[in-house]
Amino acid sequence: MHTGWVVLIKNDSIAAAGPMQFKLPAGTQIIELKNTTLLPGLIEGHAHILLHPYNEIPWDDQVLKESRAERTARAVNHAKATLMAGFTTIRDLGTEGAMYDDAGLKTAIEKGIIPGPRMIIATRAIVAKGTYGPNAENADGENIIGAEEVTGLESMANAVRTQIGKGADLIKIYADYRYGLNKEAVPTFTEAEICEICLSGKRDKTLLCVVETPGDLLMMEQTQTYRGLYFVLMGRLSPLDGIGPKDIHLDSLIKRASDGIVKEVILATNFTVEGEATAHYISELLGEKGLKVSRIARGLPVGGELEYVDAGTLAQAFIERRAV
């Protein structure tokens, strides 16, 4: 918690924040927030904006008995309420029978037609045929299903490509689910079927980008500039926290990077002390294998102005300057 801070907003983005030690541009509007706590926008990591609480209407009835028009109307209200509650970004993990209506909601928000948070969407989600609900009361009937059913490699590839084409920012797959006699969580796909997800589309198998978390992978994908493969460490080196090389699967990384296909490993760990240490350690290990290793660049943000940039970032921009 900081007191006496100033936040400078320019073009709907934070240009600077901290004690009043930077120059305000001419014509800046001052908004005083006395006796108020100012929070950054919150992020909801697992949302279903096209659903509402099950103590109001059970999930089965929402999927089977509520029209998509009604569910979309509810979602418009949910989007506004979510934004007003302070959540500026949500990751919506499935429409649960409402097809690609989350894509339409996302577009409406982006166009300013309705208020709502930024949406990162999964569209329909993917399940093995026969494992997901709602369950049919009559075995001869056909129900609306809460996710997209697939039945094999070709079906999986088609589903992934279709969802991407309809606007999915990420692919959600139920690798296991509660079904069968005992309703216990058991695997629903073969390894080959799951691998088909990563094989879908044109990816450059000679490039391997190393990130700390699945969230980092998602942000890289949103740039739409990188078309290689990824290795997710699921963490970073932190001796003080007892996190060593084995904890972030560096043995598996070395094995994968040394498969003879990968030509360049791109280190995209965070620019924290731990992230930098992790990148340096990995570069030393892979350098011994004769592999080309690169690090994503640092410097001024797109649209940034020098007078609002901290000294550390500006210094790094000078160090990593390039010829034009």
Side-chain angles (χ1 to χ4, degrees):
M1 186 77 71
H2 300 281
T3 58
W5 271 37
V6 174
V7 179
L8 179 63
I9 306 296
K10 182 176 181 180
N11 298 329
D12 296 328
S13 298
I14 296 176
M20 189 58 190
Q21 296 176 349
F22 46 84
K23 180 182 177 182
L24 294 179
T28 299
Q29 179 185 0
I30 306 298
I31 301 175
E32 294 190 12
L33 299 174
K34 293 182 179 180
N35 302 317
T36 302
T37 299
L38 179 63
L39 288 174
L42 302 175
I43 299 175
E44 168 59 69
H46 190 147
H48 290 283
I49 202 166
L50 284 146
L51 293 175
H52 55 103
Y54 300 155
N55 61 355
E56 296 176 356
I57 301 291
W59 180 80
D60 282 26
D61 288 346
Q62 291 186 45
V63 176
L64 294 175
K65 298 180 180 179
E66 292 183 351
S67 69
R68 285 171 55 191
E70 176 185 344
R71 295 182 63 187
T72 300
R74 289 180 182 274
V76 170
N77 291 332
H78 298 162
K80 181 179 180 179
T82 299
L83 182 62
M84 293 299 100
F87 289 88
T88 56
T89 301
I90 64 170
R91 186 176 65 162
D92 196 84
L93 294 180
T95 60
E96 303 294 333
M99 298 298 286
Y100 302 99
D101 292 346
D102 55 349
L105 284 166
K106 177 182 178 180
T107 299
I109 291 170
E110 291 174 346
K111 288 182 176 180
I113 298 171
I114 61 173
R118 299 180 186 89
M119 292 182 65
I120 301 169
I121 60 173
T123 65
R124 300 178 63 189
I126 296 175
V127 296
K129 187 172 181 63
T131 63
Y132 204 62
N135 295 319
E137 296 181 0
N138 183 340
D140 295 327
E142 289 291 336
N143 270 357
I144 296 173
I145 301 298
E148 183 167 4
E149 295 185 310
V150 299
T151 57
L153 292 175
E154 183 177 354
S155 179
M156 175 72 82
N158 287 337
V160 170
R161 290 186 173 95
T162 298
Q163 291 187 13
I164 291 174
K166 295 289 188 178
D169 299 306
L170 58 94
I171 299 299
K172 176 181 178 180
I173 175 176
Y174 285 87
D176 59 19
Y177 202 69
R178 303 177 301 277
Y179 78 104
L181 291 176
N182 299 319
K183 304 299 181 183
E184 296 178 349
V186 295
T188 56
F189 290 109
T190 65
E191 183 176 344
E193 288 171 323
I194 295 175
C195 287
E196 185 66 25
I197 297 173
C198 301
L199 294 173
S200 294
K202 296 180 180 178
R203 311 294 301 197
D204 186 348
K205 296 180 178 60
T206 67
L207 297 177
L208 184 64
C209 181
V210 180
V211 296
E212 292 181 17
T213 68
D216 296 336
L217 184 156
L218 177 61
M219 293 305 298
M220 294 289 289
E221 282 295 281
Q222 288 189 27
T223 67
Q224 298 184 357
T225 57
Y226 177 70
R227 300 304 301 163
L229 301 178
Y230 292 93
F231 186 94
V232 182
L233 297 170
M234 298 304 295
R236 60 196 173 191
L237 293 176
S238 181
L240 292 178
D241 297 319
I243 302 175
K246 291 184 178 180
D247 298 305
I248 58 174
H249 316 292
L250 290 190
D251 290 344
S252 297
L253 171 59
I254 294 172
K255 182 178 179 180
R256 182 172 177 186
S258 304
D259 63 3
I261 299 175
V262 174
K263 302 300 181 185
E264 180 180 358
V265 177
I266 304 169
L267 301 178
T269 53
N270 291 315
F271 291 105
T272 60
V273 173
E274 295 87 353
E276 291 279 37
T278 303
H280 178 74
Y281 188 83
I282 293 174
S283 67
E284 292 290 317
L285 290 177
L286 297 179
E288 296 174 357
K289 303 290 184 180
L291 290 166
K292 179 181 179 181
V293 183
S294 60
R295 182 84 163 105
I296 59 171
R298 293 171 288 185
L300 300 177
V302 175
E305 298 187 13
L306 294 181
E307 62 180 317
Y308 305 126
V309 177
D310 66 276
T313 299
L314 190 57
Q316 197 62 45
F318 272 108
I319 293 171
E320 300 192 15
R321 66 187 185 276
R322 58 182 175 82
V324 296

